């Protein structure tokens, strides 16, 4: 089974802190994604990456950056955490873009981040 | 503007009945559409993918249809069970050969015993 592991389930940080959220997948997937999920707003894409050292902005990249130095690891960085970044953060990975194998994204269990 | 709507925020049905969830979209032309299940406090879990040239896809008690003319997908769970209670999300590809998907808001399904 493909596994996407997020480093923390729950995290509490102070306003202004630099926050690192780590995500590791174990199935050699090319594509990796970071979403945040908020009640009433659904899943919103922050950043994604199709390959090592590649990154693309999603719908809400402001206040975030990412790093993909190795294929299996995709990190989300909150440069200076703010209270409006309190949310559930979900990492996902996917394989071949043509979905020949008929499967989609594999998500991690999520990190619930609270910024106080 | 582009929009994805799922029929209702919450749906209650009786155990044993068929649950039908709807995903409607405007101003998208997806080549692929996916359905996911999400339990509280967990990440979504992939269920089914259907391509634009496929009218219907089945997997055990699940059936998905995709009507590109109506811009709608229907997701059916037959012989529903309380364990099917969860939030169900549809997701459309927004180009780049299916590498990037946008998610609907979800429908919270409750199957009552």
């Amino acid at each position: 089974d493909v596994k996407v592991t997020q480093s923390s389930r729950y995290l509490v940080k102070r306003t202004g802190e630099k926050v690192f959220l780590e995500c590791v997948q174990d199935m050699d997937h090319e594509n990796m994604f970071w979403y945040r999920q908020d009640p009433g707003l659904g899943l919103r894409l922050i950043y994604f990456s199709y390959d090592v050292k590649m990154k693309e902005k999603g719908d809400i990249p402001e206040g975030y950056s990412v790093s993909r130095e190795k294929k299996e690891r995709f990190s989300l960085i909150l440069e200076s955490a703010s209270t409006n970044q309190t949310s559930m953060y979900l990492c996902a990975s996917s394989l071949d873009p043509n979905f020949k194998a008929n499967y989609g994204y594999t998500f991690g269990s999520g990190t619930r981040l609270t910024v106080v | 503007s582009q929009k994805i709507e799922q029929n209702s925020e919450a749906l209650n049905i009786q155990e044993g009945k068929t649950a039908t969830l709807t995903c409607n979209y405007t101003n998208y032309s997806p080549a692929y559409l996916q359905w996911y299940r999400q339990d509280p406090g967990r990440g979504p879990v992939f269920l089914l993918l259907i391509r634009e040239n496929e009218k219907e896809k089945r997997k055990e008690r699940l059936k998905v249809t995709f009507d590109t003319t109506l811009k709608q997908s229907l997701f059916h769970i037959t012989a529903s069970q309380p364990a099917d209670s969860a939030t169900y999300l549809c997701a459309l590809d927004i180009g780049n050969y299916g590498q990037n998907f946008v998610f609907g808001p979800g429908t919270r399904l409750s199957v009552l015993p």
Side-chain angles (χ1 to χ4, degrees), chain B residues 72-89:
Chain B
Q72 181 181 78
S73 174
L74 299 179
F75 176 79
H76 306 274
I77 306 175
T78 57
S80 59
Q81 304 164 1
D84 295 325
S85 298
T87 296
Y88 292 86
L89 307 169

Side-chain angles (χ1 to χ4, degrees), chain A residues 6-43:
Chain A
Q6 294 184 229
S7 51
S8 308
R9 285 284 283 139
Y10 299 95
L11 215 49
V12 180
K13 296 291 181 181
R14 294 198 181 279
T15 302
E17 273 193 81
K18 191 167 186 175
V19 181
F20 293 86
L21 302 183
E22 305 288 346
C23 176
V24 177
Q25 50 96 1
D26 65 1
M27 278 296 286
D28 205 34
H29 282 182
E30 291 89 0
N31 307 325
M32 296 189 76
F33 308 83
W34 274 106
Y35 289 86
R36 63 178 283 179
Q37 188 172 33
D38 301 286
L41 295 175
L43 277 160

Side-chain angles (χ1 to χ4, degrees), chain A residues 39-89:
Chain A
L41 295 175
L43 277 160
R44 292 181 292 167
L45 182 63
I46 305 170
Y47 267 97
F48 58 102
S49 169
Y50 296 150
D51 203 349
V52 176
K53 299 212 188 279
M54 262 202 62
K55 60 184 178 187
E56 299 279 349
K57 291 180 180 178
D59 299 319
I60 51 162
E62 296 78 21
Y64 303 95
S65 63
V66 290
S67 170
R68 192 159 181 207
E69 296 296 319
K70 293 186 178 181
K71 192 174 186 180
E72 67 271 18
R73 186 179 296 267
F74 192 35
S75 304
L76 180 70
I77 303 149
L78 285 67
E79 297 292 342
S80 176
S82 64
T83 54
N84 64 11
Q85 292 179 310
T86 292
S87 185
M88 169 72 104
Y89 288 88

